[in-house]
DNA sequence: GGACATTCTGTTATGGATAACAAATACTGT
DNA sequence: ACAGTATTTGTTATCCATAACAGAATGTCC
């Protein structure tokens, strides 16, 4: 039962014989080696054109050991940060002449390890990890020790192979903004603690309050989803003393705002809400969301640049590459109610 | 100062000699060929384990002609449909034992052609195109004629290699919902006409109005972005006769709603708005958005399944695989104002 | 017991490109 | 003019796994 095959195109040797040269010479022309006579170069290129020849990257990868492909590991959830980072990686890769191989994983150590292993196995030249590794960290770094790796979720175990946005500053900016407006303290809907992004936002929020001499309320936890924000909003909205909330992601902030609105709390008159991420929709929520802008797309790009540099020179020294986020003030924040 | 090399792992022959067999036998064990003695099988597996051997997929791809990789082409924009479709493709691919190679492109014919060509030369076994091809269609199908391809943006030129959600039904459902509520007619903020999704929604909206004997107002156009929705909302909100708007995507609908709100129009009391997509945030907007649910993730999965079937059997007949969307009624729609 | 099928394993050729080496030609300086 | 260097091109080996073929060992049937 031979399935009808999609025929392969011409190979280098076909071009070679068409141009009356050796395959090696064709290879040299295609790789722009200097020592090729102009006349033969033209002859080869003409043959390439005529036969519609395209170099087979698989064969090339086999012999050179470089696939010109980078692997990206993300979690199998569809949130803004994931998708815009992925986009940034793809754009960055294209600019650098690389192709992207993406795999998703669940949060379990086994799944994460498998996913990375799948990438390595697939022959990628380097890996970008955009997921919290957790207990999988040790296993994973065993696999990635042989291959350049960049991490965008500053899991401690990845040491300094880290590219991203400074999460400490993000939460500090947001918290200070609310305190500056006159709020006595700021409540916090945190992300999943497994994510180091969420963890450091939580830490900086707490530290900022302490340094300002404010009471530190107990934090609530969500899972990045709007639903989880909604649930937490239903709780916070029932507490009269809550006047300011820092939500660890814009998507959760949408849920929080919805819940507060349903409970009859006005935003920002009764309660101020700040998100983090500045997703595309943040400017168009009702009210528009004050948030912390951090470009995931840019992070993806920088991660690729770092990775490519590391592929070119594995001895390259690794230093964390963190970018500062900025505060975007919109309509969801205001001074606390007067009678408070 | 020796640069730390990223060494290659052991090869099949290393395993072979460790187990005291030939490389071919190792290959047979790994591919689960039936005719291998249980004792040697165990010996080989032990050697594999001991050396930490992982089969080199590049070499495998070269000789078998199958890379177990599928390519995905998307546009370089970060919207909900793109990212959830990509997620679905990745999940589907993993289930099918495939890996995903993604490339992004701009809308120009040249860029699209290049992108597809990049995928083919990367050695993918099949391609999923999730972008409008337009004038690039002919060029692209020249390239893809040698390789299984599935399209999720029903560009006519791709004939029947089409998987997705029935866009005609989507717009019909939405328009009828508004008419059923008692609106005299429905205005429409359409997507970019290059997208066949947008085009068919536009067509069905118009047809539905005509069949219902309603006046067909001129349509407005956006580019899928919330900003473009906002701009169109500023226009529509100024026209007193507008009581119902069908927006071609939820993301644009957010912008429309924001603009209407700024103009002092209440939703749904003054104006009803329906979106399309049912993005995660739709349930949490203010007011919650009535919309048409269509699972892009599911579309991605189905596209992969179709593609894999086609890879296994290129002679497979292609029939469009369309799924019906459903109407999700939330708070952004209501009967028209009484005095209207 | 001999012809023949079955099971297991090894050998050789192959896929398409490139690195390393080798050879032929052209060019330099003395 | 001749050794010595540069330039251009070709040959051969290699990357790693698998397909196709072949040989050895065991089992079966009359």
């Amino acid at each position: 039962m031979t399935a009808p095959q999609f025929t392969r195109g011409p190979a280098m040797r076909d071009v070679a014989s068409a141009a009356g040269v050796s395959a090696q010479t064709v290879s040299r022309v295609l790789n722009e080696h200097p020592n090729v006579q102009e006349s033969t170069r033209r002859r080869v290129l003409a043959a390439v054109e005529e036969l519609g020849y395209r170099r087979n990257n698989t064969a090339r990868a086999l012999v050179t050991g470089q696939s010109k492909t980078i692997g990206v590991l993300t979690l199998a959830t569809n949130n803004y940060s994931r998708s815009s980072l992925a986009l940034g990686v793809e754009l960055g890769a294209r600019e650098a002449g690389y192709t992207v191989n993406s795999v998703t994983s669940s949060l379990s150590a086994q799944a994460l390890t498998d996913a990375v292993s799948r990438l390595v196995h697939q022959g990628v030249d380097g890996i970008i990890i955009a997921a919290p590794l957790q207990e999988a960290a040790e296993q994973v770094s065993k696999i990635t020790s042989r291959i350049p790796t960049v991490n965008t979720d500053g899991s401690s175990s990845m040491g300094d192979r880290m590219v991203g946005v400074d999460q400490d500053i993000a939460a500090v900016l947001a918290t200070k903004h609310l305190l500056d407006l006159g709020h006595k303290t700021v409540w916090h809907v945190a992300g999943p603690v497994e994510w180091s992004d969420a963890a450091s936002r939580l830490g900086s929020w707490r530290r900022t309050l302490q340094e300002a001499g404010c009471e530190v309320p107990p934090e609530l936890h969500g899972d990045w989803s709007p639903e989880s924000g909604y649930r937490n909003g239903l709780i916070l909205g029932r507490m009269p003393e809550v006047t300011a909330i820092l939500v660890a992601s814009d998507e959760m902030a949408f849920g929080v705002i919805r819940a507060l609105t349903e409970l009859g709390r006005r935003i920002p008159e009764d309660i101020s809400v700040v998100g983090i991420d500045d997703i595309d929709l943040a400017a168009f929520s009702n009210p528009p969301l004050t948030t912390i802008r951090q470009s995931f797309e840019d992070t993806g790009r920088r991660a690729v640049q770092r990775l490519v540099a590391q592929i070119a020179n594995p001895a390259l020294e690794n230093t964390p590459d963190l970018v500062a986020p900025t505060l975007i003030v919109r309509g969801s924040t205001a001074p606390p109610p007067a009678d408070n």
Side-chain angles (χ1 to χ4, degrees), chain A:
Chain A
M1 48 161 266
T2 343
Q5 285 297 328
F6 288 97
T7 59
R8 300 194 190 201
M12 203 172 253
R13 74 157 74 94
D14 299 320
V15 176
S17 64
V21 297
S22 72
Q24 182 60 54
T25 297
V26 176
S27 171
R28 280 191 270 251
V29 170
L30 263 38
N31 290 315
E32 298 181 337
H33 274 257
N35 298 334
V36 180
Q37 208 160 14
E38 186 55 27
S39 61
T40 57
R41 157 188 230 79
R42 267 202 291 267
R43 212 141 31 91
V44 168
L45 290 177
V48 165
E49 183 68 26
E50 191 201 350
L51 298 180
Y53 169 77
R54 318 276 350 225
R55 175 169 55 195
N56 179 321
N57 276 319
T58 306
R60 180 172 215 240
L62 180 60
V63 68
T64 61
Q66 298 249 320
S67 60
K68 286 287 177 183
T69 296
I70 66 183
V72 184
L73 169 65
T74 57
L75 287 194
T77 55
N78 181 26
N79 54 27
Y80 182 81
S81 55
R82 179 197 107 92
S83 69
S84 48
L85 187 113
L87 179 60
V89 167
E90 261 151 42
L91 295 175
R94 192 171 64 196
E95 285 160 13
Y98 278 73
T99 264
V100 177
N101 220 157
S102 29
V103 302
T104 56
S105 163
S106 65
L107 201 47
S108 83
Q110 186 60 52
L112 288 163
T113 314
D114 284 357
V116 173
S117 152
R118 225 176 321 145
L119 282 177
V120 172
H121 195 189
Q122 198 63 23
V124 300
D125 292 342
I127 297 180
I128 293 175
I129 297 179
L133 289 178
Q134 296 276 96
E135 325 92 59
E138 201 183 330
Q139 278 281 28
V140 166
S141 54
K142 216 177 277 172
I143 303 179
T144 56
S145 64
R146 310 181 143 268
I147 190 174
T149 308
V150 164
N151 192 288
T152 64
D153 172 70
S155 306
S156 53
S157 58
M158 295 305 292
D160 36 43
R161 310 184 182 181
M162 170 68 195
V163 173
V165 176
D166 192 325
Q167 296 305 325
D168 292 319
I169 297 182
V172 170
L173 281 176
T175 309
K176 278 202 171 140
H177 169 63
L178 290 167
L179 294 180
D180 287 349
L181 284 171
H183 293 273
K184 290 222 181 72
T185 190
V186 176
W187 291 67
H188 183 43
V189 177
V193 282
E194 304 90 65
W195 287 78
S196 75
D197 283 3
S200 52
R201 286 172 200 175
L202 174 59
S204 321
W205 159 77
R206 190 178 286 137
R207 194 164 3 87
T208 307
L209 287 183
Q210 283 166 346
E211 284 170 8
C214 301
E215 186 199 348
V216 179
E219 79 272 10
L220 296 101
H221 279 279
D223 62 6
W224 296 139
S225 74
E227 287 82 1
S228 68
Y230 180 77
R231 284 195 300 274
N232 285 304
L234 287 181
I235 294 167
L236 290 168
R238 286 186 166 85
M239 306 196 286
E241 73 267 37
V242 175
T243 68
I245 307 175
L246 166 60
V247 188
S249 84
D250 285 357
E251 278 162 315
M252 289 199 294
F254 268 71
V256 169
I257 289 176
R258 176 96 283 271
L260 297 178
T261 305
E262 283 181 10
L263 291 173
R265 311 293 301 267
R266 291 164 308 160
I267 299 160
E269 294 82 356
D270 300 330
I271 301 185
S272 288
V273 176
V274 176
I276 296 182
D277 283 354
D278 194 31
I279 69 175
D280 291 340
L281 287 175
F284 301 95
S285 69
N286 191 1
L289 189 61
T290 293
T291 188
I292 306 293
R293 174 174 298 168
Q294 48 179 326
S295 175
F296 292 103
E297 199 176 311
D298 181 59
T299 297
R301 267 213 170 79
R302 279 167 31 234
V304 171
Q305 286 161 5
R306 164 70 72 94
L307 190 61
V308 169
Q310 220 175 101
I311 291 169
N313 175 14
L316 201 68
E317 202 174 319
N318 281 304
T319 50
D321 169 14
L322 296 178
V323 158
T326 57
L327 172 71
I328 308 288
V329 179
R330 298 205 181 92
S332 67
T333 50
D339 63 350
N340 195 285

